[in-house]
Amino acid sequence: MKGLDLCEEYYLAYGSAMIKTKFPGLESRLAAGLVGEGSECFGFDDEISRDHDWGPGFCLWLDSEDYASVGPALDAEYQKLPKTIGNFNRLYSRWGKSRVGVMEIGAFYRSFIGLDHAPESARQWFQIPEHLLAACTNGRIFNDQSGKFSAIREDLLSFFPEEVRLAKMVARCAAAAQSGQYNYPRMLKRNDPFAAQYAVIQFCSEIISLAFLLNRRFCPYYKWRHRAVRVLPVMGEYLYDHVRNLVLERNDPQKAELIENVSSAVIDALRRENLSGNASDFLLDHAVEMAEKISDPTIARVARVWV
């Protein structure tokens, strides 16, 4: 059973009734769900995931006024809920005790993005690591009648302002070109296997991140990137298969050819999205063209660092 389904079942079986009985009227003002860290929040949990910080549990988010007035009492009742449902119980580690339970809405978002609201400037957007944006917008909302928690979530999911997205794509294209198309073959000539392998992994990571930007979705933490890319509408299945083949390939010339094939496919996607019309087969040239599309001088300066 997937963790998200289990946690929603647990909330409906025990959490909702507890709130209605112990705190009449509060259920219409709070939000309940499971969002944040943990493989189950992305739907990637498996048997291995169940050894720590996995199992029945949910988050209850309150606005600052309700959190001050009933937060401690609500948390005390949450802690009294049955520890198991079906054959599942939650296992906690020293790092995961704050992943479920009662939380203040603003504090929850600040713990990930440093703000209790969506970023309001390009600088704020650039300062937040994408994997943290992915983590605070994943999962599932079981109940949010007031809409206060979901309003911030939806603002974040509306994604980066377009020129911020372009600047990030410039950076990913430039880094992928540098690591995969340029440095990988040079490291092979120098007989430097560590640098060569590092270049391949960086190329794959940058290309996956670029695909998330193409799809206007936040790229998750590194260990979920390859798995997550598969479901992207644009290039998802292609990159899932080709990145896997690239990492597993042991023949150096074949690996270099795979890098060029992936680069060509990405360039074709950029052209289809009207992000570049350049005829070059080198990703850096497309980064330069995308950088020229940025009109905001502050964002343009950020993009020019890469090209």
Side-chain angles (χ1 to χ4, degrees):
M1 187 175 194
K2 284 293 187 179
L4 274 175
D5 296 329
L6 176 68
C7 290
E8 184 168 14
E9 180 181 323
Y10 181 66
Y11 167 73
L12 293 173
Y14 299 116
S16 180
M18 177 271 287
I19 296 165
K20 289 175 181 176
T21 301
K22 301 286 186 178
F23 305 91
L26 184 62
E27 191 171 37
S28 65
R29 304 199 306 273
L30 57 70
L34 187 69
V35 177
E37 297 174 310
S39 56
E40 70 274 23
C41 295
F42 287 103
F44 297 151
D45 49 313
D46 52 24
E47 293 290 336
I48 297 173
S49 306
R50 298 178 184 182
D51 64 343
H52 70 94
D53 302 319
W54 187 95
F58 52 85
C59 304
L60 293 172
W61 296 284
L62 306 173
D63 65 21
S64 57
E65 183 178 344
D66 279 331
Y67 186 80
S69 62
V70 301
L74 180 61
D75 188 63
E77 294 299 326
Y78 176 89
Q79 301 303 328
K80 295 177 186 177
L81 293 176
K83 304 304 180 187
T84 63
I85 185 169
N87 296 320
F88 302 104
N89 65 292
R90 189 169 189 88
L91 298 176
Y92 289 97
S93 74
R94 59 182 292 190
W95 302 280
K97 290 187 179 295
S98 62
R99 293 184 179 181
V100 294
V102 179
M103 309 172 190
E104 193 265 320
I105 293 172
F108 172 85
Y109 283 108
R110 282 194 299 273
S111 71
F112 288 95
I113 64 173
L115 302 167
D116 60 7
H117 54 81
E120 297 172 341
S121 67
R123 181 173 182 176
Q124 288 181 336
W125 279 111
F126 278 124
Q127 288 176 330
I128 304 171
E130 288 172 46
H131 73 274
L132 295 180
L133 288 163
C136 70
T137 56
N138 64 13
R140 188 183 300 164
I141 308 302
F142 309 151
N143 169 56
D144 186 7
Q145 296 175 47
S146 75
K148 292 179 181 178
F149 180 85
S150 296
I152 301 172
R153 178 183 176 90
E154 293 305 315
D155 283 346
L156 292 171
L157 287 172
S158 65
F159 209 61
F160 300 114
E162 182 58 16
E163 293 204 339
V164 171
R165 184 179 80 113
L166 272 176
K168 285 178 170 286
M169 293 178 75
V170 167
R172 302 299 179 266
C173 278
Q178 182 78 4
S179 58
Q181 292 183 284
Y182 181 76
N183 271 327
Y184 176 68
R186 289 170 68 84
M187 294 307 102
L188 292 179
K189 291 177 181 178
R190 288 185 170 136
N191 193 28
D192 189 337
F194 169 80
Q197 185 65 10
Y198 192 96
V200 171
I201 295 300
Q202 182 170 352
F203 171 80
C204 293
S205 181
E206 299 292 346
I207 287 294
I208 290 174
S209 179
L210 178 61
F212 275 89
L213 291 163
L214 267 171
N215 284 271
R216 292 178 171 81
R217 298 189 189 180
F218 298 120
C219 188
Y221 187 56
Y222 78 90
K223 71 176 180 177
W224 304 125
R225 285 187 177 190
H226 182 235
R227 191 167 179 177
V229 78
R230 190 172 197 172
V231 301
L232 297 180
V234 179
M235 295 202 73
E237 195 71 40
Y238 173 91
L239 284 180
Y240 179 83
D241 291 338
H242 282 71
V243 165
R244 185 177 188 276
N245 293 339
L246 184 51
V247 171
L248 292 176
E249 180 60 56
R250 293 293 176 260
N251 180 278
D252 292 334
Q254 183 63 30
K255 194 182 286 277
E257 183 177 345
L258 282 169
I259 287 173
E260 290 303 325
N261 290 342
V262 169
S263 299
S264 294
V266 168
I267 289 168
D268 286 343
L270 295 177
R271 291 176 180 140
R272 287 194 300 273
E273 297 291 324
N274 295 317
L275 294 167
S276 176
N278 199 297
S280 172
D281 59 3
F282 190 39
L283 280 163
L284 183 59
D285 293 328
H286 298 272
V288 172
E289 182 164 332
M290 284 191 290
E292 292 171 352
K293 296 178 181 291
I294 298 172
S295 59
D296 185 293
T298 301
I299 302 175
R301 282 196 296 273
V302 174
R304 282 198 294 271
V305 169
W306 292 94
V307 296

